Amino acid sequence: MVSFSIFEGISITKIAHDFIQDFVNAHNKARAEVGVPPLRWNNTLAAYAKIYAKSKILDCKMEHSHGPYGENLAEASWEMENAEVVNYWITEKDNYDRKSGSCVKDVCGHYTQIIWRDTVQVGCAKEKCINGWMFAICNYYPPGNVFGQRPY
């Protein structure tokens, strides 16, 4: 791996590593709380997420890609930190009823994708839209939220 300094001793390698670890650590904290194995970063998923995020720069619409992976989307009018994106999705935890395995008010699919026991890989991207908003996406493999199954 080639690493070079871009300014004040911070390398591109370090920035990329921190970007990845922020996303992975936030996901894996939630997964550890329910006893499912940690996710690993996948560069193919991240590349897919990056291409899709770039395609949203002009309109910043919250539309799923309908691709082959599980997917969580977020947007905000400020520069979201990576862990902040994931923690936003995790706020849906309170809407997940573990006893019944269902969502209260049908709002917990982002959370259940994060903690889906069979999902083992994640890749994420963020892009700033022309309207100044931030668009974020994480893709998951294998996808979660399988009808008729519980996340763990």
Side-chain angles (χ1 to χ4, degrees):
M1 180 180 295
V2 176
S3 177
F4 59 92
S5 181
I6 53 174
F7 53 87
E8 296 190 33
I10 299 173
S11 70
I12 288 177
T13 303
K14 170 130 177 62
I15 291 169
H17 179 266
D18 290 350
F19 180 89
I20 291 168
Q21 283 310 120
D22 289 348
F23 274 115
V24 170
N25 291 345
H27 278 86
N28 287 339
K29 182 178 180 214
R31 293 175 66 84
E33 289 174 2
V34 297
V36 296
L39 295 178
R40 295 181 319 275
W41 187 260
N42 179 294
N43 287 328
T44 300
L45 294 174
Y48 181 89
K50 186 69 168 175
I51 290 166
Y52 190 68
K54 282 190 172 296
S55 79
K56 305 312 291 175
I57 290 173
L58 293 177
D59 65 14
C60 219
K61 285 187 182 175
M62 293 288 290
E63 300 169 328
H64 283 282
S65 71
H66 302 290
Y69 309 116
E71 186 169 272
N72 282 342
L73 304 176
E75 69 178 0
S77 60
W78 65 92
E79 188 87 21
M80 295 180 287
E81 305 257 341
N82 299 349
E84 182 181 14
V85 171
V86 179
N87 290 334
Y88 171 71
W89 296 323
I90 292 170
T91 63
E92 294 179 359
K93 177 180 181 177
D94 293 340
N95 296 330
Y96 179 68
D97 180 10
R98 188 174 178 178
K99 271 188 187 175
S100 69
S102 63
C103 297
V104 177
K105 302 177 195 168
D106 292 325
V107 183
C108 72
H110 297 100
Y111 171 69
T112 54
Q113 174 58 83
I114 289 170
I115 61 163
W116 200 264
R117 74 180 164 276
D118 294 334
T119 298
V120 296
Q121 299 174 339
V122 65
C124 306
K126 293 188 319 189
E127 286 292 332
K128 191 168 188 174
C129 300
I130 61 170
N131 66 1
W133 284 54
M134 180 65 63
F135 182 91
I137 176 173
C138 286
N139 289 106
Y140 304 87
Y141 184 82
N145 293 330
V146 178
F147 184 75
Q149 294 182 18
R150 291 178 180 240
Y152 57 92

